């Protein structure tokens, strides 16, 4: 039993990073370079293959949308691939001349659409046809997807973007000898974006919503769960957008979103790989310094009011059951956040965690059980359990067992071994997260965008190491209260769906 | 990683770094045209190939930049090589190896060791090959390898974990029709390949009833045994110590027992065949295709097919015909793509797929079918082919970004029977492709009029009856056998 002996020895001696030590990430030779307009660059030269990863975060997310335009942060993310006044066009003035006509038809379509059941379906069809026709006529001046073509032929990798509640990011990697391309292309696209092919892209985004939410039991359940848990704060709104708003958002609204949130002072770029930092600085200045600063980012002022009593919803869908259980907890920068993260690991982090042991291994009542905090990081969020039952076990049964385990952790603190396991995992991940250029660029850029400090993401690990058993017990008592809870259960409709749209 | 790298001429740009002065950039097009790209000189490290005393090949590449070690073990056989009655057992044999304990350690102890030391242990039995990968902090290399080899050599298949796996698979069966994607994938395999093991992804209740520790053991002993294995080690280790360790770990591990079969021949269904699976969703899942015809090899035909797929709906992304027309121009879909699979051992399949708004289903099927056909009838341009070639050539460094990736590449070539310099041959092959070859290979192998077309969706919401495309075979969702 050599292996078991090893385990006991490690229990006694394993003393990874002490709480006072800095993590390897904090010691990275990152060069921070801020232009006078507020645009922030983080440069990190790394040994290795001649590649460079570029990740840009804008402090602009779903939470920054105003009423009536949900989904615009994400739609705008799509639009930033459509080109500029020079890239993506053969004749920009000619395109521009058609835009007002297209927008006018789109506005008429929206007006008709908003009549709801009273809308004239033949008018809707006619206006849709007209919109399509006009947008097609603008295509004669387009070089569709030219940005993508330029990057593809230059060997760019992982070209993509994503929008979250708090921020939006854009990324790709280039061979090191082509790094200048990023400066040319991305300075142009945040300076002169042209929202061409806008209305057909709106349709594309609607299909993305159908794919991720409307035809996905898990996606739909999560959307309804967040809406039930948040009454006031925009974390309750789907980032992909509400269908009726995706279908009617105007080019003007998307332009307004850009104007408000895409100033260079709201952008953080991390450039990681085989680079010369002085060259990068010079190019950053040359390409971005003359873009005027935009409005500063203003945090969301709405605070989610305290919850007065448990909220329970059923979500009907023709699929097998699952349940989400969420408790309101503070934002990621709150002093209790590290203890909550450790608690999550103790309850559901891996096969030796308490809930996995009980629900999956011992009782074979669940296929899996997860927990974690979200949907964002900047504002107070939800600590959420997801559990999928194995029939004949029910979601109600699993819920009860989860509450019993919460009670237990409220009564008795976690053991030394449980905490040590979590600490060892943190130590390993502190190294693993330094493995590749892309991963590093993401972490640096995200941390600086959210917390105005690229080291914060690494410091958070030190914070986790300092968590004590008493801390874990304290936060479990503080937040895991019935009246602070929202439960969303996926159930089959009473009768099999025959008409509906799921 | 520390790779021997020389980036020439980039230094010219470095010394020319401009003074920090803001200036109005000129037209981006002019800048792109004026962009001087220095040649990239890069000699990625080559893993060392060593043969252990039992004949097992090991690829080693040291990289001490981070205190991590990664061991990949590939088996040249998989679940499809098992007798048919054991397919379901083989499909879950990987899971039991990971969670079922070893003859020395009960399952809970294995879980504790892995999670206490923050090790990663992943075992996967796939249809034609199988893999095990073990990684962790290099200070725990002994624990990692001892445990990893124990899992592979001495699986216990503890009854409690066999029962757990059976319960989880039963639940997976119960949930098999919950998402349109799952329905589509399973229906597609059934329609195109019958019940050939290469098309299977779901274990049936009948197979679950046959889960026993002995049957798991039988399959595991035949999939993971020295004659079938190739190893790759990358990261923070020293070659001599690692080889000595591996010799020790393999000691006493005998020959592979008999009992496997060669892969049964694959019969792909010939179209035209139009199949509808009804599901109450507002977005239709569409897939269309047929046998792929192509094998991987150093042949002009294979490289031309690769370029054709890139330009139809593969790596060409937004500049592929399917994405450009179905997504960007028409707004029918968020996801649309093509896959022209090939293998060194046999032909594979070609298909195009999309998720499309229900009310554009028939329009999208027609458009996609036309676009598949367009590869033969509307020749690709020299500029298109150059896009595919430039992409492959200019992105080659990304195939060699870290030691693990470089070792994995060699393991893959060895398993597929490709030469170690396959990547160079591949790049040369792609560069030699002409537009005429792309058209010719499309004409020979892509047959839009002979495709199997499968739609999962709600016909009453379609733009037109599906019968406008051709006679429709209805496949009730419950008659998808697995």
């Amino acid at each position: 039993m050599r292996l078991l002996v090893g385990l006991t020895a490690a229990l006694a001696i394993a003393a990874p990073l002490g709480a006072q030590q800095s993590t390897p990430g904090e010691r990275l030779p990152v060069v921070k370079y801020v232009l006078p307009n507020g645009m922030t660059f983080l440069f990190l030269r790394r040994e290795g293959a001649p590649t460079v990863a570029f990740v840009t975060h804008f402090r602009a997310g779903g939470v920054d949308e105003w009423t009536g335009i949900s989904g615009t942060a994400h739609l705008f993310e799509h639009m930033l691939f459509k080109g500029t006044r020079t890239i993506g066009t053969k004749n920009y003035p000619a395109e521009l001349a058609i835009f007002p006509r297209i927008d006018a038809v789109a506005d008429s379509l929206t007006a008709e659409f908003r009549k709801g059941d009273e809308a004239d379906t033949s008018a809707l069809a006619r206006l849709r046809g007209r919109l399509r026709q006009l947008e097609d006529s603008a295509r004669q001046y387009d070089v569709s997807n030219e940005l993508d073509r330029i990057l593809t032929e230059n060997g760019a990798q992982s070209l993509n973007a994503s929008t979250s509640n708090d921020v939006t990011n854009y990324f790709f990697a280039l061979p090191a000898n082509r790094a200048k391309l990023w400066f040319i292309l991305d300075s142009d696209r945040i300076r002169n974006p042209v929202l061409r092919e806008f209305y057909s892209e709106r349709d594309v985004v609607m299909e993305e919503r159908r794919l991720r939410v409307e035809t996905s039991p898990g996606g739909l359940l999560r959307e309804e769960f967040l809406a039930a848990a948040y009454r006031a704060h925009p974390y309750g709104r789907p980032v992909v957008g509400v269908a009726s708003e995706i279908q009617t958002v105007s080019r003007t609204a998307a332009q307004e979103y850009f104007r408000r949130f895409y100033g260079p002072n709201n952008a953080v770029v991390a450039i990681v790989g085989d680079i010369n930092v002085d060259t990068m600085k010079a190019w950053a200045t040359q390409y971005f310094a003359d873009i005027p600063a935009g409005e500063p980012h203003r945090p969301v002022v709405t605070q989610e009011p305290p919850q007065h009593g448990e909220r329970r919803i059923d979500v009907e869908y023709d699929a097998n059951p699952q349940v989400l259980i969420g408790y309101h907890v503070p934002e990621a920068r709150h002093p209790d956040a590290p203890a909550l993260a450790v608690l999550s690991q103790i309850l559901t982090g891996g096969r030796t965690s308490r809930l996995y042991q009980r629900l999956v291994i011992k009782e074979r009542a669940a296929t899996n059980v997860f927990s974690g905090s979200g949907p964002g990081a900047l504002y107070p969020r939800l600590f959420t359990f997801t559990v999928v039952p194995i029939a004949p076990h029910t979601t109600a049964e699993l819920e009860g067992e989860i509450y019993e385990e919460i009670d237990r952790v409220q009564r008795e603190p976690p053991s030394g071994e449980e905490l040590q396991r979590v600490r060892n995992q943190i130590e390993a991940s502190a190294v693993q997260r330094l493995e590749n250029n892309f991963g590093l660029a993401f972490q640096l850029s995200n941390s600086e965008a959210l917390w105005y400090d690229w080291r914060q993401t690494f410091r958070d690990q030190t914070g986790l190491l300092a968590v004590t058993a008493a801390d874990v017990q304290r936060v479990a008592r503080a937040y895991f209260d019935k009246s602070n809870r929202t439960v969303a259960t996926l159930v089959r409709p009473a009768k099999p769906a025959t008409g509906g749209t799921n | 990683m520390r790779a021997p790298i020389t980036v020439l001429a980039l230094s010219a740009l470095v010394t020319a770094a401009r003074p920090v002065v803001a200036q109005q950039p000129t037209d981006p097009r002019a800048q792109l045209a004026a962009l001087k790209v220095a040649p990239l000189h890069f000699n990625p490290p080559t893993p060392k190939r060593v043969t252990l005393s039992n004949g097992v090949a090991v690829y080693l590449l040291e990289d001490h930049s981070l205190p991590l070690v990664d061991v990949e073990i590939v088996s040249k056989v998989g679940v499809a090589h098992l007798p048919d009655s054991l397919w379901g057992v083989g499909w879950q044999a990987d899971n039991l190896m990971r969670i079922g304990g070893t003859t020395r350690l009960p399952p809970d102890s294995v879980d504790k060791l892995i999670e206490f030391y923050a090790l990663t242990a992943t075992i996967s039995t796939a249809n034609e090959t199988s893999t095990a990968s073990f990684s962790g902090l290099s200070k725990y290399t002994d624990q990692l390898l001892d445990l990893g080899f124990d899992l592979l050599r001495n699986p216990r298949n503890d009854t409690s974990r066999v029962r757990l796996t059976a319960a989880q698979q039963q639940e997976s069966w119960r949930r098999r029709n919950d998402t349109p994607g799952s329905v589509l994938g399973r229906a597609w395999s059934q329609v195109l390949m019958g019940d050939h093991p290469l098309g299977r992804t779901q274990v049936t209740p009948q197979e679950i009833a046959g889960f026993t520790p002995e049957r798991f053991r039988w399959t595991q002993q035949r999939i993971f045994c020295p004659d079938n294995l190739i190893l790759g080690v990358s990261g923070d280790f020293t070659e001599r110590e690692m080889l000595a360790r591996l010799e020790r770990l393999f000691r006493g591990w005998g020959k592979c027992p008999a009992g496997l079969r060669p892969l049964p021949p694959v019969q792909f269904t010939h179209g035209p065949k139009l199949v509808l699976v009804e599901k109450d969703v507002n977005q239709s899942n569409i897939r269309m295709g047929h046998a792929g015809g192509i094998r991987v090899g150093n042949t002009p035909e294979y490289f031309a097919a690769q370029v054709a797929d890139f330009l139809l709906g593969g790596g060409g992304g937004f500049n592929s015909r399917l994405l450009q027309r179905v997504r960007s121009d028409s707004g029918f879909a968020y996801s649309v793509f093509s896959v022209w699979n090939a293998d060194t051992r046999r032909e594979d399949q070609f298909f195009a797929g999309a998720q499309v708004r229900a009310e554009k289903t028939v329009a999208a099927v027609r458009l996609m079918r036309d676009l598949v056909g367009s590869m033969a009838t509307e020749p690709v341009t020299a500029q298109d082919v150059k896009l595919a070639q430039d992409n492959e050539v200019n992105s080659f460094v990304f195939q060699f970004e870290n030691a693990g990736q470089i070792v994995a590449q060699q393991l893959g070539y060895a398993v597929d029977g490709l030469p170690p310099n396959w990547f160079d041959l591949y790049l040369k092959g792609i560069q030699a492709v002409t537009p005429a070859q792309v058209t010719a290979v499309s004409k020979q192998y892509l047959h839009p009029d002979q495709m199997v077309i499968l739609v999962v969706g709600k016909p009453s919401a379609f733009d037109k009856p599906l019968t406008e495309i051709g006679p429709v075979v209805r496949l009730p969702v419950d008659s998808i056998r697995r």
Side-chain angles (χ1 to χ4, degrees):
Chain A
M1 301 303 272
R2 190 157 45 94
L3 291 167
L4 280 184
V5 173
L7 174 60
T8 320
L11 274 172
I13 59 162
L17 302 164
Q20 306 308 317
Q21 274 177 270
S22 63
T23 57
E26 284 173 79
R27 299 191 295 269
L28 288 170
V30 173
V31 175
K32 180 170 168 175
Y33 185 65
V34 183
L35 298 179
N37 61 14
M39 188 160 178
T40 301
F41 287 84
L42 302 165
F43 303 119
L44 176 60
R45 177 179 168 76
R46 290 186 86 221
E47 295 279 309
T51 67
V52 188
F54 300 87
V55 179
T56 305
H57 277 81
F58 285 91
R59 296 182 186 102
V63 294
D64 299 305
E65 293 161 345
W66 53 95
T67 305
I69 67 147
S70 72
T72 300
H74 170 242
L75 175 59
F76 187 80
E77 173 228 296
H78 280 232
M79 295 316 298
L80 263 199
F81 289 82
K82 293 292 187 184
T84 67
R85 292 178 195 173
T86 44
I87 304 295
T89 187
K90 287 180 268 199
N91 186 345
Y92 173 59
E95 266 186 292
L96 197 62
I98 302 178
F99 282 177
R101 288 165 61 204
I102 300 175
D103 292 342
V105 174
D107 289 347
S108 304
L109 174 62
T110 296
E112 193 62 38
F113 179 88
R114 286 189 177 148
K115 292 178 186 167
D117 292 344
E118 308 293 306
D120 176 346
T121 49
S122 66
L124 282 176
R126 183 174 49 76
L127 286 164
R128 282 201 181 101
R130 182 74 187 132
L131 183 60
R132 173 83 203 265
Q133 196 182 25
L134 277 173
E135 217 168 41
D136 283 348
S137 75
R139 282 180 216 280
Q140 63 182 302
Y141 305 112
D142 289 355
V143 186
S144 189
N145 294 318
E146 188 182 12
L147 178 75
D148 191 277
R149 176 176 276 267
I150 293 167
L151 287 166
T152 302
E153 71 194 5
N154 281 282
Q157 295 287 296
S158 314
L159 170 62
N160 215 328
S162 77
T163 309
S164 68
N165 300 74
D166 296 335
V167 288
T168 304
N169 59 47
Y170 298 84
F171 49 91
F172 54 86
L174 284 168
N177 58 341
R178 291 164 197 270
K180 200 177 186 183
L181 260 182
W182 180 87
F183 292 87
I184 296 171
L185 294 173
D186 268 34
S187 63
D188 187 34
R189 72 170 165 163
I190 72 161
R191 187 193 303 267
N192 301 312
V194 174
L195 309 193
R196 57 174 60 87
E197 303 177 302
F198 181 84
Y199 298 98
S200 57
E201 197 63 23
R202 206 169 69 171
D203 289 344
V204 169
V205 167
M206 192 56 208
E207 290 317 295
E208 189 173 353
R209 176 180 165 80
R210 290 193 174 117
L211 181 70
R212 296 191 196 281
V213 180
E214 295 178 16
T215 65
S216 159
L220 180 70
L221 179 65
R222 184 170 182 278
E223 180 174 295
E224 298 279 332
F225 165 72
L226 290 171
Y230 286 97
R231 289 281 162 92
H233 193 273
Y235 274 175
R237 260 191 337 234
V239 173
V240 73
V242 172
S244 67
E245 296 179 4
I246 298 173
Q247 288 168 310
T248 55
V249 67
S250 66
R251 184 174 3 229
T252 317
Q255 269 156 347
E256 176 60 13
Y257 185 90
F258 170 73
R259 192 192 63 74
R260 283 206 213 171
F261 301 113
Y262 274 71
N265 43 324
N266 278 332
V268 178
V269 186
I271 303 180
V272 176
D274 182 17
I275 56 170
N276 178 293
V277 170
D278 290 336
T279 309
M280 294 293 122
K281 281 185 181 173
W283 286 346
T285 302
Q286 182 191 344
Y287 284 93
F288 290 94
D290 67 330
I291 301 175
E295 294 177 26
H297 182 251
R298 291 185 187 82
V300 173
V301 295
T302 307
Q303 295 181 15
E304 184 64 22
Q307 192 167 321
H308 302 289
E310 186 187 45
R311 293 178 195 157
R312 304 189 68 89
I313 60 163
D314 282 348
V315 177
E316 294 186 357
Y317 194 88
D318 186 18
N320 287 280
Q322 51 181 303
V323 63
L324 300 178
I325 304 164
Y327 294 88
H328 288 281
V329 296
E331 67 282 2
R333 283 270 59 74
H334 188 277
D336 286 346
L340 285 162
V342 170
L343 175 61
S344 169
Q345 283 298 105
I346 286 169
L347 289 175
T348 64
R351 293 172 199 276
T352 56
S353 65
R354 291 183 178 191
L355 280 166
Y356 193 93
Q357 275 290 312
R358 176 167 173 178
L359 302 180
V360 181
I361 291 185
K362 292 208 173 65
E363 299 178 0
R364 300 196 281 273
T367 61
N368 215 332
V369 56
F370 308 97
S371 70
S373 295
L378 281 177
Y379 306 101
R381 48 200 187 152
L382 294 171
F383 186 107
T384 302
F385 295 91
T386 307
V387 65
V388 179
I390 293 177
H393 297 281
T394 62
T395 53
E397 195 182 323
L398 293 172
E399 245 194 280
E401 298 196 70
I402 289 172
Y403 301 151
E404 282 175 25
E405 286 302 321
I406 290 171
D407 283 349
R408 200 181 120 206
V409 83
Q410 286 171 338
R411 284 196 316 271
E412 34 180 283
S415 71
E417 186 184 340
E418 281 176 302
L419 279 177
Q420 191 61 50
R421 164 176 66 86
V422 175
R423 286 177 189 149
N424 290 355
Q425 288 169 351
I426 294 163
E427 184 200 15
S429 82
V431 177
Q432 284 155 350
R433 63 192 293 190
L434 308 180
E435 272 191 278
N436 68 68
N437 292 345
F438 238 123
L440 271 169
F442 264 103
Q443 294 168 65
L444 296 172
S445 165
N446 187 55
S447 181
E448 181 75 29
L450 290 177
W451 319 119
Y452 296 83
D453 180 359
W454 63 264
R455 283 193 180 85
Q456 189 59 52
T457 180
F458 302 113
R459 277 201 202 104
D460 285 348
Q461 284 184 307
T462 322
L464 294 179
L465 293 170
V467 170
T468 65
D471 293 334
V472 173
Q473 190 178 22
R474 181 177 52 76
V475 296
R477 284 177 179 163
Y479 302 108
F480 288 48
D481 182 56
K482 183 182 174 191
S483 65
N484 184 32
R485 181 161 82 201
T486 301
V487 181
T489 311
L490 192 77
V491 298
R492 280 195 202 276
K495 273 182 260 169
T498 49
T501 50
N502 45 316
Chain B
M1 60 177 264
R2 207 160 295 149
I5 294 159
T6 47
V7 183
L8 297 181
L10 201 64
S11 56
L13 297 173
V14 173
T15 48
R18 292 168 181 78
V20 182
V21 186
Q23 58 188 68
Q24 182 64 45
T26 52
D27 179 343
R29 264 185 208 285
Q31 294 175 54
L32 290 172
L35 188 66
K36 289 193 184 72
V37 176
L40 200 58
H41 294 278
F42 173 52
N43 298 305
T46 311
K48 181 167 180 180
R49 187 183 186 283
V50 176
T51 307
L52 299 178
S53 59
N54 62 354
V56 171
V58 185
Y59 292 85
L60 302 146
L61 187 55
E62 290 184 33
D63 170 12
H64 301 282
S65 57
L66 289 173
L68 296 168
V69 68
D70 185 14
V71 180
E72 299 288 322
I73 300 175
V74 183
S75 167
K76 287 176 274 190
V77 298
V79 188
H81 300 110
L82 295 166
D84 227 35
S85 61
L86 287 173
W87 184 86
V89 172
W91 193 247
Q92 286 299 308
D94 48 2
N95 186 33
L96 259 300
M97 288 176 100
R98 164 60 189 83
I99 69 167
T102 71
T103 48
R104 289 190 296 162
L105 295 170
D108 284 340
S109 301
V110 170
D111 290 343
K112 267 189 187 162
L113 275 167
I114 288 175
E115 292 182 1
F116 190 85
Y117 290 112
L119 309 176
T120 305
T122 312
I123 302 173
S124 166
T125 47
N127 265 318
E128 287 186 278
T129 60
S130 300
T131 55
S133 60
F134 305 110
S135 59
L137 291 173
S138 50
K139 65 179 173 181
Y140 300 136
T141 301
D142 282 333
Q143 286 89 341
L144 180 74
L145 284 170
D146 285 351
L147 182 66
F149 272 73
D150 201 22
L151 295 177
L152 293 182
R153 289 187 66 169
N154 311 306
R156 175 193 289 238
N157 297 305
D158 193 89
T159 315
S160 67
R161 300 293 173 99
V162 172
R163 285 204 193 114
L164 171 60
T165 302
Q168 286 174 322
Q169 287 302 303
Q170 192 68 49
E171 190 59 30
S172 163
W173 173 258
R174 196 173 284 115
R175 291 172 185 267
R176 69 197 182 282
N177 294 325
D178 282 2
T179 63
S182 166
V183 173
L184 177 90
R186 291 163 37 248
W188 175 256
S189 290
Q190 179 167 320
V191 174
L192 191 72
M193 306 172 73
D195 191 31
H196 192 279
L198 288 187
R200 299 178 194 165
T201 53
Q202 176 77 48
V203 181
T204 64
Q206 197 189 353
E207 288 168 334
I208 296 167
F211 283 6
T212 64
E214 297 71 33
R215 285 156 71 88
F216 279 113
R217 178 106 178 115
W218 197 93
T219 63
Q220 290 154 348
Q221 281 172 332
R222 281 158 182 79
I223 290 175
F224 286 99
C225 47
D227 308 344
N228 295 336
L229 302 184
I230 306 174
L231 266 64
V233 188
S234 56
D236 183 29
F237 64 92
T238 56
E239 188 187 307
R240 244 187 63 177
E241 280 176 37
M242 181 54 70
L243 287 172
R245 218 181 247 133
L246 291 174
E247 287 285 359
R248 199 173 63 240
L249 289 161
F250 270 108
R251 200 168 296 150
W253 194 354
K255 290 261 160 214
C256 292
L260 297 186
R261 63 173 182 182
L263 187 76
V266 193
Q267 294 288 330
F268 293 101
T269 300
H270 288 287
K273 186 167 186 173
L274 177 58
V275 180
L276 170 69
V277 181
E278 272 199 58
K279 188 160 174 65
D280 188 12
V281 283
N282 60 13
Q283 186 179 59
S284 300
N285 267 250
I286 299 170
R287 191 176 284 189
M288 56 181 71
H290 49 48
I294 296 282
R295 279 181 184 230
V296 175
N298 195 4
T299 62
E301 184 179 65
Y302 167 65
F303 299 119
Q306 289 287 105
V307 172
D309 185 39
F310 184 99
L311 295 173
L312 174 60
F318 283 92
N319 284 282
S320 68
R321 290 184 180 184
L322 283 166
L323 257 133
Q324 181 66 54
R325 297 290 308 285
V326 179
R327 174 170 160 156
S328 298
D329 294 353
S330 307
F332 288 171
Y334 169 70
S335 165
V336 54
F337 55 90
S338 70
V339 177
W340 194 343
N341 279 333
D343 195 286
T344 48
R345 306 163 191 89
R346 52 175 175 75
E347 71 166 332
D348 207 312
Q349 54 180 294
F350 160 82
F351 64 83
Q355 286 103 31
V356 172
R357 71 187 57 202
E359 63 269 25
K360 291 293 178 190
T361 304
V362 172
V365 168
R366 284 192 164 134
L367 177 57
M368 289 167 69
R369 192 179 55 179
D370 289 350
L371 289 168
V372 171
S374 78
M375 295 305 292
T377 57
E378 294 167 35
V380 298
T381 64
Q383 195 196 359
D384 291 335
V385 173
K386 190 168 181 305
L387 175 71
Q389 292 167 331
D390 286 352
N391 177 259
E392 295 282 4
V393 172
N394 291 330
S395 67
F396 87 96
V397 286
F398 292 100
Q399 304 298 317
F400 304 92
E401 278 200 289
N402 61 63
Q405 197 185 10
I406 292 167
V407 167
Q409 183 192 64
Q410 286 302 316
L411 285 180
Y413 294 164
V415 168
D416 289 340
L418 293 166
N421 67 338
W422 173 246
F423 191 74
D424 296 337
L425 299 176
Y426 179 84
L427 272 192
K428 286 193 184 101
I430 293 288
Q431 283 175 277
V433 171
T434 65
Q437 286 174 328
V438 174
T439 305
V441 81
S442 302
K443 210 170 264 178
Q444 188 175 351
Y445 293 106
L446 300 183
H447 305 294
D449 52 339
Q450 290 168 35
M451 289 194 293
V452 170
I453 301 176
L454 172 66
V455 178
V456 177
K458 181 182 175 185
S460 64
F462 295 172
D463 41 351
K464 285 173 183 157
L466 206 53
T467 45
E468 289 206 1
I469 295 170
V472 175
V473 180
R474 281 173 184 263
L475 179 66
V477 74
D478 289 326
S479 60
I480 304 170
R481 291 184 301 271
R482 70 156 76 232

